[in-house]
Amino acid sequence: MKRTVQQGFTLIELMIVVAIIGILAAVALPAYQTYTIKAKVSEGMLAASQCRTTVSEVYQTGNSAAAPGGNGWGCENTAGSASKYVNTVKTDGNGAITVVLSNDASLGAASGTALTLVPTDSNGSGLQSTSIGSTQVYGWRCGKPSDGTSSTLGKYLPGSCKG
């Protein structure tokens, strides 16, 4: 009797492998899309970094009598189109930074939304311009607009955005 050695896979084995690959792709694709949008939103945090440094420095060493007004901190980009994913960077009189994301379609639900960073004291309360020169910025409340309403960015906020 001559024995033949099996060569290749059966149809059932191949179908099981294809099914497993399909399930993995169905789970991984939405996670990847969220990850790419989150990376693009983090460009907004990068755009705000210069303003964060400026606001922190003014609060620590400035003069409250000569407090900068809205968009007067010297770090803003109000002309529009600051970068591919950031439209504008603005500040208010208390140093809160608002980064408006562009309307780029690849941003998905985050398109055109605003990311706000508010300087806070050691208690987590937002700083007021009257304390310029007499306090230090201990942190930044991130994500919610300065008026306290909820942000539509939600799950797209970068990990560095603690809010």
Side-chain angles (χ1 to χ4, degrees):
M1 286 178 64
K2 191 174 185 181
R3 252 180 131 181
T4 59
V5 179
Q6 180 182 3
Q7 296 180 358
F9 298 104
T10 65
L11 181 60
I12 297 294
E13 291 170 330
L14 291 174
M15 289 175 62
I16 290 172
V17 168
V18 169
I20 290 171
I21 290 172
I23 291 169
L24 291 174
V27 170
L29 189 60
Y32 176 73
Q33 290 170 334
T34 300
Y35 172 77
T36 57
I37 293 173
K38 191 182 231 185
K40 293 170 185 173
V41 169
S42 69
E43 188 174 312
M45 289 292 291
L46 182 62
S49 65
Q50 180 183 358
C51 280
R52 286 175 29 176
T53 303
T54 301
V55 170
S56 296
E57 184 178 323
V58 169
Y59 265 102
Q60 191 165 0
T61 62
N63 181 354
S64 61
N71 293 326
W73 295 80
C75 57
E76 299 83 4
N77 185 341
T78 58
S81 217
S83 70
K84 183 174 182 180
Y85 302 116
V86 175
N87 195 20
T88 59
V89 179
K90 297 180 180 180
T91 56
D92 69 8
N94 295 324
I97 305 163
T98 303
V99 178
V100 178
L101 300 174
S102 70
N103 290 322
D104 192 293
S106 66
L107 285 169
S111 175
T113 59
L115 170 66
T116 302
L117 293 103
V118 178
T120 61
D121 60 14
S122 58
N123 297 325
S125 302
L127 292 174
Q128 300 298 314
S129 61
T130 54
S131 60
I132 288 178
S134 63
T135 191
Q136 173 177 330
V137 176
Y138 283 89
W140 293 87
R141 186 173 55 237
C142 180
K144 290 185 177 181
S146 56
D147 63 3
T149 59
S150 64
S151 172
T152 56
L153 289 174
K155 66 182 177 179
Y156 301 121
L157 290 173
S160 62
C161 192
K162 308 282 188 238

